[in-house]
Every structure is written in C-alpha cells, then in structure tokens.
Amino acid sequence: MLSRAGFIAICLVLSASVAEAARIKDLADVEGVRENQLIGYGLVIGLNGTGDKDSTKFTTQSLTSMLSRMGIRADPEKVKVKNVAAVVVTANLPPFARPGGRIDAMVSSIGDAKSLQGGTLLMTPLKGPDGRVYAAAQGAVSIGGFSAGDETTGIQKNHVTVGKVANGALVEADVPAAFSGKESFSVVLRQPDFTTALRVAEAVNNRIGGETAQAVDSGRIVLKTPETYRGRPVEFLAAVEGLDVAVDRAAKVVLNERTGTIVMGETVRLSTVAVSHGALSIEIKTDFKVSQPPPFSPGATVVVPETEVTAKEQKSRMLLLPSGATIGEVVRALNAVGVTPRDLISILQAIKAAGALHAELELI
C-alpha cells in the first residue's frame, strides 16, 4: 500500500499498445449528430405547503396568468402560492428524435420553495436556442428523497428542490438532419490526437478500401462515401464505427490533493533523478505545576509552567530513479520509500520542476 493513513492511491495503466484498442464509435462522434438542449419555465403544483412564499412575486404572477387563460379571474394580492413552486425545466433532445417520442425532463426550483416532494409539473413548453418549441413536459416530479420537519428539527435526504419527470417530455418537433445523398461525413474525435486521428483514417482505408478517410487535423477525419455505399449512409457509418483503433494518449499525471487520488498513464517516463525523502517533527509540550511556599512562611502559591521541546527527524532515504523508468518502477520505488499521499504529490511536483518527469501534471 502507498498510504499509511487510510489513503488510497489509484494508478490506472492506460495502454496505447496495439493489443488494446477501442471502437471508433467510442472515440469519436459523427459531426452534426448531437443532442440539443431545451429549456422552459413552468409551475409545480400539489405541494404540501412547501412551495414558494407569497413574497415570490413571479410565482404569483405566473399562477394568476395561467388561471386567466383558463377563464378564471383571480386577484394576485389574494392568491396564496404555498402549494405552488416556480421551476425551470430542462431536457436534452437526442439526435433523430421524432414527434411523439418521449424524453426525460429535469425540474429545478428557482424560488424559495422548501421541497418539490409530491408535486406535479404543469404542461411546460420546452424551447431550443432558436426559440422554437421542440417538446412539452408534464407529469409527476420524482425527487429521489424526502424532507420532514422544520429548519431546526427537520430531516432531509438528498436534494429536494430538484427532481425529474421520467419520460415526461413529449417531443413535438424534430431537428432536421439530412443524411441521404451526402457524399462525405466528418468524424470528430472526443480527445483530439494526431496519432489517433491518423490511425482512424488508416483503419477505415484498410477496411473500406481506397482513400475513403483522410485526417485533416488532430480531431477531424473526413469520410468520403464509396461507390459501394452510395445511398446507404447508415450502413457506411455502421461499418466505420465498428472498427477497432489503437488509441494513443499523451503522458499525464492527474493529482487530487483533496482526496489524495493519483492517476498516472502507462506512457509516463522519467529521466534519471535522485529523490530524498525525510521529515522533521517538533513537539512542544507545556505542563503546569503548583509552587507552594513552606508552612508559616511569607509568600503565595503560584502556578509555574514548564515547557518541554523535543525534535525528531525521520531517517532520510535517497532513492535513484533511472532514466526511462516505467510507471510500475516509479510506484514500486515510491512504495519502498514509504511516502504519504501529500509527500507523493509534492515529490511528483518536484520531479516535474526538475525537468525529469516527462508528462503533464494536472491538478483537479
């Protein structure tokens, strides 16, 4: 174990060897095939006194406006909204969604409601960035938790002012995506890398033939529809996305000082470097003793502090890490030193500062 105080260090070996490959569909997306974000404003009703307060004016205005559209005239000054909460509803419209399909909707309170437990979302139009309505959400809100009692003696589980309406948004319009007749497509890597992009193009050309694919930069590969797949774009993209490609990754070390987690890739290498590890601990202890004069003598009883200072330095160990050391050698060497989580993070930062760590350090 690398830790001495309940610490867990995780070293994940991210192999870029040919034997370990990933499908293109797990590495890249077809340009233009993406989700679209939707947003709307609505009301959640049926709350058990946990809704917005009367001071939340926009909730009162929304409620009276809705009643007015239904032919009911209500005085905003006399309307109580403790069973109603104003919310923002969000959803992601998946690619190729068609009218009549259903998607999930997230409901988030924007007023001062205490809980959305037991509430029902009224029909809420969901719009895209272009202002067009693409879906309408309505249904029971599930918060996956509960709250009971007041602020001083209450109990709460999970977050009760955010919930989900499962399959509660009905798709009303689709996003146009013309695929038939296209002569070329673009595949975009989720993690741009020149080597991986070149390998994707080579894999497609070896499988499909000719010069079907061409890597134009580190994150984009252009695919030309071959004659054998003319008019069949779905079959063409299915044949491409199922191909295996050896992924190449840059050397990186990720450090999380809050949790002590350390993640290092297999491609991390070191130049020859010597590491000395040791620690100095100083303990200051103060005892209070009573000084009392002899009987029948002048003087007063006083408290006299006695301070004891001790210093202890752990034995320092010098460790030599050879040039080209792999991640396994680094971990074994640091385990031999017996470093703590904080020490290991400091050592890696110091090795990087010395120019001996050939990897990117990322603090999260």
Side-chain angles (χ1 to χ4, degrees):
M1 291 285 295
L2 189 59
S3 131
R4 293 185 294 186
F7 160 76
I8 300 178
I10 304 176
C11 293
L12 298 179
V13 178
L14 306 176
S15 176
S17 63
V18 178
E20 298 185 15
R23 297 177 303 174
I24 293 179
K25 69 184 306 178
D26 299 323
L27 302 174
D29 298 306
V30 179
E31 191 173 42
V33 180
R34 42 156 286 183
E35 291 185 336
N36 291 275
Q37 296 177 328
L38 306 178
I39 189 171
Y41 170 82
L43 295 174
V44 172
I45 63 172
L47 304 177
N48 187 19
T50 59
D52 294 334
K53 298 178 181 178
D54 295 336
S55 58
T56 309
K57 297 300 182 182
F58 54 84
T59 304
T60 304
Q61 294 171 1
S62 301
L63 182 59
T64 55
S65 177
M66 182 198 70
L67 294 176
S68 176
R69 291 194 301 270
M70 293 182 175
I72 302 174
R73 299 184 61 181
D75 186 357
E77 299 298 329
K78 298 181 179 180
V79 172
K80 303 298 183 182
V81 294
K82 64 179 182 178
N83 290 346
V84 182
V87 295
V88 167
V89 184
T90 57
N92 289 327
L93 184 67
F96 308 112
R98 294 292 183 261
R102 290 188 172 272
I103 57 177
D104 294 341
M106 294 297 300
V107 178
S108 305
S109 170
I110 59 173
D112 51 6
K114 295 180 180 179
S115 173
L116 299 180
Q117 181 179 356
T120 300
L121 174 69
L122 295 180
M123 186 175 62
T124 303
L126 301 180
K127 300 180 180 180
D130 57 357
R132 182 184 176 189
V133 176
Y134 287 92
Q138 181 172 279
V141 179
S142 173
I143 60 175
F146 64 87
S147 64
D150 54 25
E151 296 180 355
T152 57
T153 60
I155 184 174
Q156 175 177 319
K157 180 180 180 181
N158 296 336
H159 202 61
V160 294
T161 54
V162 175
K164 175 185 286 189
V165 183
N167 289 325
L170 188 64
V171 179
E172 300 291 346
D174 57 357
V175 178
F179 259 49
S180 60
K182 292 191 65 173
E183 296 183 356
S184 65
F185 299 90
S186 292
V187 174
V188 181
L189 293 179
R190 295 167 189 165
Q191 295 183 351
D193 182 87
F194 285 106
T195 304
T196 304
L198 182 60
R199 290 174 179 173
V200 169
E202 291 176 347
V204 173
N205 291 333
N206 291 336
R207 172 65 175 82
I208 307 298
E211 297 182 357
T212 304
Q214 180 182 3
V216 295
D217 53 42
S218 63
R220 186 165 174 260
I221 301 96
V222 175
L223 306 176
K224 296 181 181 179
T225 306
E227 291 293 337
T228 54
Y229 287 99
R230 292 289 181 181
R232 299 183 298 160
V234 175
E235 295 182 28
F236 173 53
L237 293 176
V240 170
E241 69 179 8
L243 299 177
D244 290 334
V245 175
V247 184
D248 192 81
R249 295 182 177 89
K252 179 181 290 189
V253 179
V254 181
L255 309 175
N256 190 326
E257 287 189 292
R258 297 186 303 275
T259 62
T261 302
I262 302 171
V263 180
M264 292 183 277
E266 186 192 33
T267 55
V268 175
R269 292 292 185 270
L270 292 176
S271 297
T272 301
V273 63
V275 178
S276 177
H277 174 70
L280 175 66
S281 61
I282 300 177
E283 181 181 359
I284 301 176
K285 183 179 181 181
T286 302
D287 292 330
F288 295 92
K289 296 184 178 181
V290 178
S291 176
Q292 186 175 9
F296 307 105
S297 64
T301 301
V302 295
V303 178
V304 180
E306 292 186 359
T307 302
E308 179 183 0
V309 180
T310 59
K312 180 181 179 182
E313 185 174 12
Q314 296 179 1
K315 183 181 296 185
S316 177
R317 299 187 63 180
M318 180 69 72
L319 181 68
L320 179 65
L321 300 177
S323 175
T326 64
I327 185 61
E329 295 169 341
V330 173
V331 171
R332 283 194 297 270
L334 294 176
N335 277 334
V337 175
V339 297
T340 64
R342 304 296 179 188
D343 291 337
L344 178 56
I345 292 175
S346 299
I347 288 173
L348 291 174
Q349 291 175 331
I351 294 176
K352 177 66 176 179
L357 178 62
H358 305 304
E360 176 186 355
L361 276 183
E362 181 177 341
L363 292 174
I364 60 174

